[in-house]
Amino acid sequence: MQSSASTVHGIPTRRRIRVVIAISFAFFVAYFDRTNVAVLIANHNFDQTFGIAGNKAAQGVLITAFLLPYGLVNIITGPISDKLGGRRGIALAIIGWTICMVLSGVITNYTVLLILRVLLGVGESIMGPSVNMVTAQWFPDKERARANSIWLSGLFIAPAFSYPLLAWIVGSFGWRQSFFVLAAIGLFVALPLIWFWTKNTPEDDKKISPEEIQYIRPDKARLKNLHKASFGRRPRRYLVITSTGLPCSPIADINPAFGESEHFYRPT
C-alpha cells in the first residue's frame, strides 16, 4: 500500500487533518438535527399542526423518542460499524438522518413524527462508534486524545449555535423549512466531506504519503490486532458506555417550551 502513496512536492502529507474536520462537522450537524424538534415545540404553528399545543407530555415524548433509541441502540450499531467500517458507518448515519429530516418536513401526523424521531435516534446512534473507529485508525496514540477533543468540542459547541440559528430559520421561513435546510446541509455538505475526505484506514487513501502512514502507524502489529480488540467482540463495553452516556444526553437537549411554560420567556 505504501508504495502507491505519494508526497506533495516531496513534503509529507497531513491527510488526517482533513479527516478530523470532516467528522467534527458531521457531529456538529447531527446535533442540529436532534435538537430541531426541541426548538419547534415552542412554535405555535408546529404544535397546532401535530395537535400537541398545550400537551407537555406529548411534547416531551418527542424528545424521549430520540434519546432512548439513540442511547440503547449503540449496543447493536457498534458491531455494525465494525463490519461496515467507520467511513461507511458515518455516511449511513448521514443518509438516514437526511431521509428523516425530509419526511419530517412534509408530514402532519403526530404518530408518524414520533416514529421518525425513533428512526433518527437509531440512525444517529452509529455515529459515535464509527467516529471512534476512524479516529483510532487515522491518529497515532500520542494524537488520539487531541483528535477526540476536536470532534467532541464540535458536539458541545453546537448548542451555542443550534438554538438561535434554528429559531431564526423557523421565524424567517417556517418550521417545515427548518427540516429541509438541515437535510440539505447533511446531504450536500456533511456527506461529501465524509466520503471524499475520509477513508476507513490511511492505507485506503491513495494520496497519503508513506511518511504520514509511518507516523500514524509506527507499529504495524497494532493495526493487525485492532479488530481483535474491537468493541464488537466485547459487547459489555457498550453497556458501560451507554449507561454512562445516557444521563448526559437529556441535559443537552433542553426543551425551550419549558421556559415558556415557566414564564422564563415567551417567544413571539
Side-chain angles (χ1 to χ4, degrees), residues 25 29 94-95 97-98 102 179-196:
F25 184 77
V29 176
I94 295 173
I95 293 172
W97 83 50
T98 297
V102 172
F179 285 112
F180 300 146
V181 168
L182 293 177
I185 294 174
L187 184 63
F188 298 115
V189 184
L191 184 59
L193 283 177
I194 289 297
W195 199 251
F196 295 110

Side-chain angles (χ1 to χ4, degrees), residues 123-264:
E124 286 199 13
S125 66
I126 200 173
M127 281 287 293
S130 298
V131 167
N132 279 321
M133 285 189 65
V134 172
T135 305
Q137 289 284 357
W138 274 89
F139 291 87
D141 292 340
K142 61 183 177 181
E143 289 186 1
R144 192 79 46 75
R146 185 188 309 170
N148 285 328
S149 67
I150 292 173
W151 66 262
L152 281 172
S153 66
L155 180 63
F156 294 115
I157 291 174
F161 295 92
S162 65
Y163 290 108
L165 183 56
L166 288 171
W168 176 79
I169 292 174
V170 173
S172 301
F173 306 104
W175 67 265
R176 293 188 185 277
Q177 282 66 30
S178 67
F179 285 112
F180 300 146
V181 168
L182 293 177
I185 294 174
L187 184 63
F188 298 115
V189 184
L191 184 59
L193 283 177
I194 289 297
W195 199 251
F196 295 110
W197 279 20
T198 71
K199 301 291 182 183
N200 285 330
T201 66
E203 289 80 3
D204 293 335
D205 190 337
K206 295 181 180 180
K207 295 183 179 180
I208 195 171
S209 67
E211 291 86 353
E212 185 172 10
I213 292 180
Q214 180 61 30
Y215 178 78
I216 294 171
R217 252 190 266 293
D219 182 8
K220 291 185 179 180
R222 184 172 67 86
L223 175 61
K224 295 179 181 179
N225 295 327
L226 186 60
H227 181 68
K228 295 181 180 179
S230 67
F231 282 121
R233 300 201 176 186
R234 299 183 183 182
R236 285 178 294 180
R237 292 185 181 180
Y238 282 112
L239 295 176
V240 174
I241 292 177
T242 302
S243 62
T244 55
L246 272 175
C248 301
S249 297
I251 297 175
D253 292 283
I254 301 171
N255 182 355
F258 171 78
E260 179 185 0
S261 64
E262 297 300 322
H263 307 291
F264 292 123

Side-chain angles (χ1 to χ4, degrees), residues 29-52:
V29 176
Y31 192 93
F32 275 66
D33 291 340
R34 74 183 64 170
T35 57
N36 189 32
V37 164
V39 174
L40 293 179
I41 286 174
N43 180 270
H44 181 71
N45 290 334
F46 176 84
D47 293 342
Q48 288 289 341
T49 299
F50 291 99
I52 58 174

